[in-house]
Amino acid sequence: MVQASSTRALITRWLGSRTEGSRLDPTFLARLGYRFEAIAGLALRLYGPRLDDPDAFILRVADLLATAHASRPPELRAGDAARERRVAQGEGPWYLEPGLAAYMAYLDRFAGNFRGFRERIPHLERLGVRIVHLMPFFPCPAGNNDGGYAVSDYLGVDARLGTVAELAETARELHRRGMYLAADLVLNHCSDEHPWALAARRGERRYRDYFHVFSDGAAAERFGRAMPEVFPETAPGNFTFVPEMDAWVMTVFHRFQWDLDWSNPEVFIEMLGILLELANRGIDILRLDAVPYLWKREGTECRNLDEAHDIVRLLKACADVAAPGLAFLAEAIVQPSEIVRYLDSGSVEECQLAYHASLMVLLWDALATGKTAVLSHSFGEETRLAPGTGWISYARCHDDIGLGYDEEKILRAGFTPRAHRRFLLDFYSGRYPGSFARGRLFMEDPRSGDARISGTCASLCGLEKALEEGDEAAADLAVKRIVLLHGLAASLTGIPLVYSGDELGLPNDFSWLDDPALADDNRWMHRPRLDPEALARSEVEGTIESRILGGVARILRLRKDIPAFAPDAPFEILHPGDEHLVLCLRSPKAGAAGTRILVAANFTAGNRSLRLPQVLSGLGVPSRDLLAGGDAPSCLDFASGRIVLGPYALAWIELAGPGRTDGA
Ligand code: GLC
């Protein structure tokens, strides 16, 4: 491998090459000095073998960082400094601020466009969320574009949604209100109509090298042999034949999403420039779409390879120099032990946040079975994180529910993995006798019997069926299930996230079937448009919408001031000896004030009661149920020393000493 010159010599050379050398911002230079060695090391590790002149490459990266920092708006620079100060003063990173809650939405479905979004901010404030993830708003081809995840211009804004200026203004408006903006960086692939792909089709060598292209079909077949299929039903295989190129192009997701070849240093430079520009528009959190897939190597699954981690580390080290306020959210829907690797990455940081996909699946597992053993046994060791990182905890998002959790945990809970998965699929697709759910199977693979699940939170929780059947009691239970899942996402660990429409109990939306661009992707059934009538009903007391919105908002509001619910505060699952309950002890972080909270949840439609002295022995004495009040009775019965949990009830029992104070 070609070695770069010593870091010091290289920085000196770089400074000499910049005409504005002495005028460079001192804070920028300090950050660059601090990160330079990491950047050079990672760049060499990833790209050394492909670079004729590694020094020149590293200097190009430094140039990009200087240019991006120079054009970073002053208010964002001030924000960076404030965020750095927080950490220096021991207050922890901004994205783990206690009380944060998140919301994700397709802009068009939520508010029409950027202009309409402004009018919907009060709804978000009422719900109590402060992080807003607006799903891909970039130009993309007409027709099927995978919900905007086939990007044809990373720096543009889809004209139907607004303009680049409106995007930046939206970020400013959110910041003014103490909120944050999250957006996607779809870095694994671009649309087949992206100018890079068009140039590759025209035969331009430079751009052909941006993709994984095989002239020999057999070689492509060999390369793809160990790669799983993401959309086996609608986009089988991992390569697409492109006639004008007379070659096979790697397309892991859809045929129109071309995988970028990140082993090409030019691809890195392009994406780094894009990332820094998006950060300069005021985006606070970049969601790294499909991040496990970044690096491909023949003979492997082409997921979670070490180089994929190095790319993210390198991007983060660069962002820390030019836009240090930016946080990365890993979209890594893989095995739990692999997800944590995107967060817990040693000395150079990688992602700061990741979706807690395993918790999400475990919640649905417990809801279908009414039993909590799989949840209680899985939600343990492997989900503990490194300091400075946190989970995004959620019940539903815009994607399907994949049953990707450890078989061993299913076995330990007394289920047979294959039969258990079958049961869950049957249950949520409504085929299982007595099921309350109205979902559909997504990407059913007849060969393996595998499938994933689509459906809105409300429909999977039984609301659609109950309302259709005019069954009020069943609707009441469904409402309780919806609030319970959101309540657990808000109190087990991490930052809770609400998917647009779930806060109103919106049912499956079947209009996707009438749109040919959407019709072969049933994930659209759980991406409903925010129904203005449902929104209006949410303001009327006693309606289903107001009960759901009110229930979730109340939980988020109360959670805000409870130190034990800080996103990275410790948790411990207790095993109460009742297979229908979840008990989780939350403690304030070491050194933080506050009391411990026992989170208790009932996953059945009946009442459950539990004597507390046994489970709490040595942990503290229950003093009150923080969720009691209004319509909600206290679950604490002092006379009998029990908690009594009604159907699908959630309780937050505050504990007074004695007990451990070490935050363990
Ligand atoms: C992510 C998105 C999903 C999309 C895929 C391909 O998983 O969440 O909606 O289909 O990436 O970009």
Side-chain angles (χ1 to χ4, degrees):
M1 186 200 290
V2 193
Q3 293 295 324
S5 320
S6 84
T7 319
R8 232 186 128 86
L10 204 52
I11 283 211
T12 315
R13 196 174 125 200
W14 179 71
L15 280 174
S17 73
R18 306 273 311 180
T19 45
E20 82 284 42
S22 56
R23 278 184 291 115
L24 278 168
D25 180 87
T27 326
F28 169 80
L29 283 177
R31 288 185 195 129
L32 182 66
Y34 184 67
R35 290 280 175 212
F36 201 81
E37 201 166 327
I39 291 174
L42 285 162
L44 276 183
R45 195 151 83 201
L46 280 165
Y47 299 118
R50 280 190 66 162
L51 293 167
D52 297 331
D53 184 350
D55 285 2
F57 178 75
I58 294 164
L59 297 187
R60 269 176 82 195
V61 171
D63 275 340
L64 250 178
L65 299 182
T67 312
H69 185 263
S71 56
R72 189 154 173 80
E75 73 271 17
L76 295 180
R77 287 201 206 184
D80 292 335
R83 290 172 189 188
E84 285 179 323
R85 248 190 333 270
R86 270 189 69 101
V87 175
Q89 289 166 354
E91 288 167 40
W94 65 271
Y95 50 83
L96 293 181
E97 199 183 303
L100 282 183
Y103 189 86
M104 75 193 285
Y106 276 104
L107 192 49
D108 57 341
R109 299 188 160 234
F110 177 62
N113 53 27
F114 276 110
R115 229 169 306 144
F117 176 75
R118 213 188 157 93
E119 279 146 47
R120 286 263 190 271
I121 298 181
H123 170 63
L124 299 175
E125 290 178 323
R126 184 165 151 231
L127 183 59
V129 299
R130 285 182 50 209
I131 298 175
V132 189
H133 171 204
L134 295 177
M135 320 265 306
F137 42 69
F138 312 99
C140 53
N144 187 355
N145 51 43
D146 190 21
Y149 284 98
V151 177
S152 16
D153 176 4
Y154 288 98
L155 293 179
V157 164
D158 184 334
R160 285 165 299 189
L161 301 175
T163 62
V164 170
E166 283 173 342
L167 162 63
E169 179 45 34
T170 300
R172 279 194 294 275
E173 177 63 24
L174 288 173
H175 293 160
R176 273 195 287 277
R177 294 173 186 246
M179 298 167 87
Y180 303 109
L181 178 61
D184 284 86
L185 183 65
V186 188
L187 71 181
N188 175 68
H189 45 259
C190 65
S191 144
D192 62 351
E193 291 183 22
H194 189 287
W196 301 334
L198 296 179
R201 285 174 196 272
R202 284 194 305 269
E204 286 184 40
R205 183 82 230 176
R206 172 183 163 89
Y207 292 103
R208 191 180 161 106
D209 289 347
Y210 275 32
F211 303 98
H212 299 271
V213 181
F214 291 81
S215 311
D216 172 6
E221 196 276 327
R222 257 198 321 277
F223 198 105
R225 225 170 264 168
M227 295 169 73
E229 293 177 354
V230 178
F231 298 127
E233 211 180 314
T234 51
N238 283 291
F239 290 89
T240 298
F241 185 70
V242 181
E244 355 23 332
M245 292 163 77
D246 191 24
W248 295 82
V249 174
M250 188 185 288
T251 52
V252 168
F253 288 81
H254 291 97
R255 300 168 69 87
F256 52 83
Q257 289 163 311
W258 288 18
D259 286 62
L260 288 159
D261 183 356
W262 277 85
S263 74
N264 180 347
E266 293 305 317
V267 168
F268 176 83
I269 293 280
E270 295 268 19
M271 267 304 165
L272 176 62
I274 289 164
L275 181 156
L276 297 173
E277 178 57 31
L278 290 176
N280 279 356
R281 291 182 184 167
I283 289 160
D284 302 286
I285 298 177
L286 272 181
R287 173 189 182 275
L288 304 188
D289 182 62
V291 67
Y293 295 86
L294 289 187
W295 199 270
K296 318 290 197 298
R297 186 178 310 117
E298 185 171 336
T300 72
E301 279 198 343
C302 298
R303 284 196 302 200
N304 304 314
L305 296 180
D306 289 344
E307 291 86 345
H309 291 276
D310 274 348
I311 289 169
V312 182
R313 288 185 191 121
L314 181 52
L315 290 172
K316 188 67 179 76
C318 290
D320 280 349
V321 174
L326 185 70
F328 285 177
L329 162 60
E331 197 245 346
I333 312 302
V334 286
Q335 289 294 317
S337 54
E338 290 291 346
I339 305 180
V340 290
R341 289 183 59 216
Y342 292 90
L343 296 166
D344 193 359
S345 60
S347 60
V348 185
E349 288 190 43
E350 197 167 330
C351 292
Q352 290 64 58
L353 301 167
Y355 289 103
H356 205 329
S358 17
L359 172 59
M360 181 271 296
V361 180
L362 293 168
L363 291 173
W364 291 105
D365 183 293
L367 200 72
T369 58
K371 295 186 179 164
T372 56
V374 186
L375 168 58
S376 296
H377 282 115
S378 306
F379 182 65
E381 277 309 308
E382 77 251 21
T383 61
R384 287 181 202 279
L385 297 179
T389 65
W391 291 113
I392 296 285
S393 299
Y394 61 112
R396 289 298 288 118
C397 70
H398 70 299
D399 278 330
D400 48 284
I401 304 173
L403 305 179
Y405 50 115
D406 292 341
E407 300 229 322
E408 184 246 323
K409 303 284 170 32
I410 305 179
L411 281 168
R412 252 217 275 168
F415 298 117
T416 313
R418 211 182 151 79
H420 186 62
R421 278 172 210 272
R422 194 64 248 165
F423 161 73
L424 292 172
L425 296 175
D426 287 345
F427 187 89
Y428 283 115
S429 57
R431 292 180 194 161
Y432 192 80
S435 163
F436 50 71
R438 279 280 172 86
R440 287 211 180 169
L441 296 186
F442 178 66
M443 292 299 143
E444 198 169 2
D445 185 344
R447 290 166 298 179
S448 62
D450 278 348
R452 283 118 73 180
I453 298 156
S454 283
T456 66
C457 186
S459 291
L460 295 178
C461 281
L463 190 57
E464 187 180 323
K465 182 168 188 283
L467 293 180
E468 228 169 75
E469 293 171 359
D471 185 338
E472 268 185 45
D476 182 60
L477 288 177
V479 168
K480 291 192 160 92
R481 291 185 194 110
I482 298 168
V483 176
L484 174 67
L485 295 189
H486 285 88
L488 283 172
S491 50
L492 289 180
T493 184
I495 300 169
L497 170 124
V498 179
Y499 183 72
S500 181
D502 287 346
E503 79 278 24
L504 298 171
L506 295 188
N508 292 329
D509 171 2
F510 288 100
S511 63
W512 58 284
L513 285 167
D514 305 327
D515 183 342
L518 313 181
D520 71 353
D521 189 340
N522 71 22
R523 290 176 300 173
W524 287 102
M525 70 197 274
H526 56 249
R527 300 168 179 175
R529 291 179 187 282
L530 202 83
D531 173 5
E533 287 174 21
L535 197 55
R537 280 196 298 274
S538 75
E539 315 224 5
V540 179
E541 210 178 313
T543 59
I544 286 189
E545 291 81 0
S546 86
R547 286 174 56 206
I548 298 173
L549 181 77
V552 176
R554 182 160 182 270
I555 284 172
L556 297 183
R557 193 174 59 247
L558 291 172
R559 167 185 174 273
K560 207 157 55 72
D561 301 314
I562 300 176
F565 289 151
D568 52 345
F571 64 83
E572 185 184 340
I573 292 284
L574 307 179
H575 298 277
D578 180 329
E579 60 174 3
H580 306 291
L581 301 184
V582 171
L583 286 195
C584 177
L585 183 70
R586 297 299 306 271
S587 311
K589 290 198 304 185
T595 50
R596 272 155 303 137
I597 311 286
L598 178 71
V599 176
N602 174 8
F603 271 88
T604 71
N607 291 326
R608 311 288 314 169
S609 91
L610 185 75
R611 266 186 61 72
L612 280 179
Q614 276 107 332
V615 273
L616 284 179
S617 105
L619 295 173
V621 179
S623 62
R624 59 187 171 133
D625 178 356
L626 297 173
L627 285 176
D631 288 349
S634 171
C635 293
L636 250 183
D637 179 3
F638 284 107
S640 64
R642 290 174 170 271
I643 41 169
V644 183
L645 294 157
Y648 300 107
L650 173 70
W652 290 350
I653 310 294
E654 186 174 46
L655 302 182
R660 294 206 299 260
T661 52
D662 55 1

